[in-house]
């Protein structure tokens, strides 16, 4: 994952920007302006005035350093071909009040604000299309309240799931949503993330019961609460979940926690064909077994993982990885039931183990699958798809996707949270003319197939810039009108992550 170095003082690197020789604040000595010692000239830009107003408070947490700006210009995965799309300022907030202050100051000056968490999103969500401020929440890392007896806690937006789970371990609890990267919980809310545990514990939407949100004009509001359910008023919590920073900035999250199961068993099995593997996954779901995790990797993804993570004893064949949670008796029974289903579908080498070390190695390899995929063809680029269909249509979709990949001539490992009907294709394309266009065409073909089968263009990665064209295909005109009305009501001047999620109106 990208490493963001400590911010440099505001104007320390205010010389040439991104190698073009242009200064950000031509005409005014930025270091003196930032210190507030010199009155700004009449011609000063709004962003200069903002920096002048905020620098005394934020000090070196407000920066125009070109390296930091570049780091805040993209996430993982899809990148805009326009490398000049960068924030003009990066501000590292540490409290809700600071977020409110930044938003108030930006609002009065008409400056765009794009929230930034871990920067692991995959659809171009963090690229600031109108420059302005990248508001980095990754330093908001306090666990505000821990209530183990209620199995809930309240955290700041910059806490990562890894850090939270480290804190929870001694209490016998865990937070179940696990996207592969070092995502922040605020970012996970903003993208409506899920991961390998969603099949049993739900997505972030089911694991959040309340939020603190700052609106564009700097108002702070609390939604939901710590109770397990409530039927009072509009569900504002879930309005902000999945809104990709376009409706408000999330600063605190009330989370649901789960008890660490007494016994956790990991298992793997392999198949000669993709359809046998997927049929197995569908039958496991239909049997009502409460599997903790169930992940599919096709033969290409297995080849990549075996090379990258040195997985012993597994072959480059379509495979399922399982995890069973419960009492020792229950997990053993679940494993045996799944073994029978695997046998019925011509699967083989069903191996299960309660050894924590073996299980962790397996899931570490699964979580590194994206990096294994990108390393599979050195020098090539990677585009991820995120299609989802009702589980009964999954075999049809994946078989079609395989045919599309073969016809494209590209290399594209497939992996997926198949218990949810969700899978990703890592489309790898070489650095040669026309390859990017072929990758885009393949991505669109797979999503078109998913939509035709009653699915969705994204199960968990969101829309950002890369998927906007599918919004009009997936949602009817009236639904899009309501979404636009909500955006206009909460952000009338279109300052919060402008140009994302909603496609332009005709
Ligand atoms: C290796 C790898 C594996 C992945 N696996 C999965 C997976 O299994 N499941 C899955 O769902 N995703 C997965 N992802 C994608 C990514 O981890 C998720 O989209 C994650 O939720 C992004 O969180 P982040 O903190 O990095 O957000 P960022 O990338 O920083 O931001 C994402 C969006 O949220 C907005 N935002 C960020 N913080 C806030 C906030 N506090 N308030 C309001 N808006 C905010 C940003 O403006 C942006 O629009 C994976 C990514 C990688 C690199």
């Amino acid at each position: 994952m990208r490493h963001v170095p400590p911010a440099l003082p505001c104007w320390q690197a205010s010389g040439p920007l991104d190698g073009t020789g242009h200064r950000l604040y031509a005409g005014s000595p930025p270091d003196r302006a930032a210190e507030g010692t010199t009155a700004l000239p009449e011609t000063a830009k709004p962003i200069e005035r903002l920096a002048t107003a905020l620098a005394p408070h934020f000090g070196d947490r407000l920066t125009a350093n070109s390296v930091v700006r570049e780091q805040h210009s993209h996430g993982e995965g899809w990148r805009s071909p326009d490398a000049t799309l960068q924030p003009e300022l990066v501000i590292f907030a540490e409290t809700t009040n600071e977020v409110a202050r930044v938003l108030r100051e930006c609002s009065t000056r008409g400056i765009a604000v794009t929230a930034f968490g871990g920067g692991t999103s995959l659809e171009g969500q963090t690229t600031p299309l109108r420059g302005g401020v990248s508001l980095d929440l990754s330093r908001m890392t306090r666990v505000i309240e821990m209530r183990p007896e209620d199995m809930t806690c309240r955290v700041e937006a910059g806490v990562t799931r890894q850090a939270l789970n480290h804190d929870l371990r001694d209490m016998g609890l865990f937070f179940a949503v696990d996207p592969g990267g070092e995502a922040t919980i605020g970012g996970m809310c903003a993208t409506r993330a899920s991961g390998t545990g969603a099949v049993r514990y739900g997505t972030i939407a089911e694991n959040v019961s309340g939020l603190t949100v700052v609106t564009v004009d700097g108002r702070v509001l609390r939604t939901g609460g710590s109770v397990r359910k409530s039927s009072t008023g509009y569900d504002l919590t879930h309005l902000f979940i999945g809104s990709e920073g376009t409706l408000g900035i999330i600063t605190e999250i009330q989370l649901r926690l789960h008890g660490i199961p007494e016994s956790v068993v990991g298992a793997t099995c392999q198949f000669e064909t993709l359809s046998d593997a997927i049929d197995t996954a569908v039958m496991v779901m239909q049997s009502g077994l409460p599997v903790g995790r169930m992940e599919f990797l096709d033969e290409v993804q297995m080849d990549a993982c075996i090379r990258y993570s040195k997985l012993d004893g597994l072959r480059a064949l379509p495979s399922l990885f399982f995890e069973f949670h419960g009492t020792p008796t229950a997990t053993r029974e679940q494993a045996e039931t799944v073994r029978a289903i695997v046998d019925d579908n011509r699967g083989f080498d069903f191996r299960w183990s309660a050894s924590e070390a073996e299980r962790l190695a397996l899931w570490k390899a699964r979580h590194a699958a994206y990096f294994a995929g990108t390393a599979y063809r050195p020098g090539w680029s990677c585009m991820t798809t995120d299609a989802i269909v009702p589980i009964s249509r999954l075999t049809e979709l994946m078989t079609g996707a395989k045919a599309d990949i073969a016809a494209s001539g590209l290399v594209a490992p497939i992996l997926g949270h198949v218990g949810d009907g969700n899978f990703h294709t890592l489309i790898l394309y070489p650095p040669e003319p026309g390859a990017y266009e072929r990758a885009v065409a393949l991505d669109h073909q797979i999503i078109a197939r998913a939509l035709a089968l009653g699915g969705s263009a994204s199960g968990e990665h969101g829309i950002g810039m890369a998927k906007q064209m599918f919004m009009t295909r997936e949602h009817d005109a009236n639904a899009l009108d309501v979404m636009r009305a909500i955006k206009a009501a909460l952000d009338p001047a279109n300052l919060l992550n402008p140009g994302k999620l909603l496609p332009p109106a005709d």
Side-chain angles (χ1 to χ4, degrees):
M1 217 52 51
R2 261 160 345 98
H3 172 68
V4 179
L8 297 175
C10 175
W11 308 116
Q12 183 174 320
S14 61
L17 295 176
D18 46 49
T20 66
H22 292 111
R23 283 179 186 275
L24 186 55
Y25 301 114
S28 74
D31 48 348
R32 285 159 61 203
E35 288 158 13
T37 54
T38 305
L40 287 169
E42 288 286 303
T43 52
K45 293 178 186 165
I47 195 85
E48 291 176 273
R49 296 187 182 281
L50 176 80
T52 304
L54 293 179
H57 178 83
F58 285 91
D60 65 3
R61 292 186 287 119
L62 179 152
T63 180
N65 173 273
S66 59
V67 175
V68 181
R69 288 170 54 235
E70 195 286 327
Q71 286 169 332
H72 286 76
S73 69
H74 55 81
E76 293 285 340
W78 191 88
R79 289 192 187 192
S80 164
D82 183 356
T84 64
L85 292 175
Q86 293 194 352
E88 291 153 282
L89 274 184
V90 178
I91 301 178
F92 294 82
E94 289 180 351
T95 65
T96 297
N97 282 343
E98 285 189 350
V99 170
R101 185 177 201 150
V102 171
L103 289 180
R104 261 195 314 274
E105 297 285 352
C106 287
S107 260
T108 53
R109 294 174 173 83
I111 292 171
V113 180
T114 303
F116 193 96
T120 67
S121 50
L122 295 165
E123 305 293 354
Q125 279 102 334
T126 53
T127 301
L129 295 181
R130 278 199 356 226
V133 169
S134 176
L135 184 55
D136 189 313
L137 288 301
S138 65
R139 296 187 187 185
M140 294 185 64
T141 54
R142 283 185 316 138
V143 175
I144 300 161
E145 187 186 26
M146 195 63 91
R147 289 167 58 175
E149 64 286 8
D150 291 324
M151 298 172 71
T152 177
C153 69
R154 194 169 186 88
V155 300
E156 287 185 334
V159 170
T160 62
R161 70 174 172 89
Q162 291 92 334
L164 179 60
N165 277 328
H166 183 268
D167 288 356
L168 289 171
R169 202 165 37 204
D170 289 345
M171 295 175 215
L173 295 170
F174 76 108
F175 168 64
V177 189
D178 66 336
E182 291 247 351
T184 62
I185 291 173
M188 290 163 63
C189 290
T191 55
R192 204 182 296 130
S194 49
T196 64
V199 66
R200 168 81 177 258
Y201 300 99
T203 72
I204 190 85
E206 289 82 43
N207 284 276
V208 170
S209 61
L211 299 171
T212 299
V213 178
V214 186
T215 55
V216 71
D217 50 3
R219 279 177 299 166
V220 178
L221 62 111
R222 264 178 98 128
T223 75
S226 54
V227 287
R228 287 196 74 77
K229 60 184 192 179
S230 162
S231 61
T232 56
Y234 297 130
D235 188 348
L236 295 182
T237 302
H238 290 93
L239 176 63
F240 288 103
I241 288 185
S243 63
E244 300 188 4
T246 62
L247 300 181
I249 307 291
I250 298 163
T251 57
E252 295 178 12
I253 305 108
Q254 188 81 30
L255 291 173
R256 291 193 178 133
L257 306 172
H258 301 268
I260 296 175
E262 188 187 346
S263 163
V264 179
V265 162
T268 55
C269 60
Q270 301 207 281
F271 301 83
E272 290 295 344
T273 68
L274 174 145
S275 57
D276 282 344
I278 302 303
D279 288 349
T280 301
V282 173
M283 285 174 70
V284 168
M285 292 308 290
Q286 288 168 344
S287 73
L289 273 178
V291 276
R293 290 168 160 172
M294 182 167 60
E295 295 288 303
F296 168 76
L297 297 86
D298 80 347
E299 67 283 4
V300 188
Q301 183 66 59
M302 280 302 291
D303 193 26
C305 285
I306 290 165
R307 290 163 193 254
Y308 189 83
S309 297
K310 315 278 177 274
L311 283 179
D312 288 333
L314 288 165
R315 288 186 282 159
L317 289 171
S319 305
L320 288 172
F321 291 6
F322 294 95
E323 207 169 77
F324 308 109
H325 298 177
T327 61
T329 311
T331 50
R332 179 181 288 270
E333 277 174 11
Q334 288 174 39
E336 289 307 334
T337 308
V338 168
R339 182 202 293 274
I341 297 174
V342 169
D343 289 347
D344 285 349
N345 286 289
R346 295 165 290 281
F348 47 87
D349 279 351
F350 184 87
R351 295 180 201 163
W352 64 273
S353 164
S355 145
E356 187 177 8
E358 282 178 39
R359 190 167 46 77
L360 292 182
L362 190 67
W363 290 102
K364 194 170 166 210
R366 167 59 189 88
H367 276 132
Y370 171 79
F371 301 107
T374 53
Y376 196 53
R377 288 286 182 276
W380 291 28
S381 301
C382 177
M383 184 182 295
T384 51
T385 69
D386 175 27
I388 182 165
V389 284
I391 192 165
S392 61
R393 316 303 297 271
L394 193 56
T395 305
E396 202 177 338
L397 175 60
M398 280 209 189
T399 310
K402 280 294 229 186
D404 293 339
I405 294 166
S408 77
L410 297 171
V411 178
I414 290 181
L415 69 164
H417 314 303
V418 280
D420 297 326
N422 185 199
F423 76 91
H424 309 302
T425 312
L426 307 182
I427 303 174
L428 307 175
Y429 57 97
E432 62 188 36
Y436 171 77
E437 288 74 16
R438 273 157 59 213
V440 171
L442 176 58
D443 176 32
H444 289 197
Q445 259 175 315
I446 294 172
I447 292 172
R449 278 186 189 277
L451 293 176
L453 292 169
S456 169
S458 174
E460 55 181 22
H461 293 167
I463 294 297
M465 294 162 76
K467 292 270 175 66
Q468 279 178 13
M469 73 287 276
F470 299 114
M471 289 288 280
T472 43
R473 287 163 71 176
E474 188 169 329
H475 301 287
D476 66 38
N478 289 338
L480 283 172
D481 280 351
V482 171
M483 290 190 208
R484 289 196 179 99
I486 292 169
K487 170 73 173 168
L490 284 172
D491 182 19
N494 191 20
L495 297 178
L496 292 177
N497 209 358
K500 303 293 172 52
L501 200 147
L502 286 170
D506 292 334

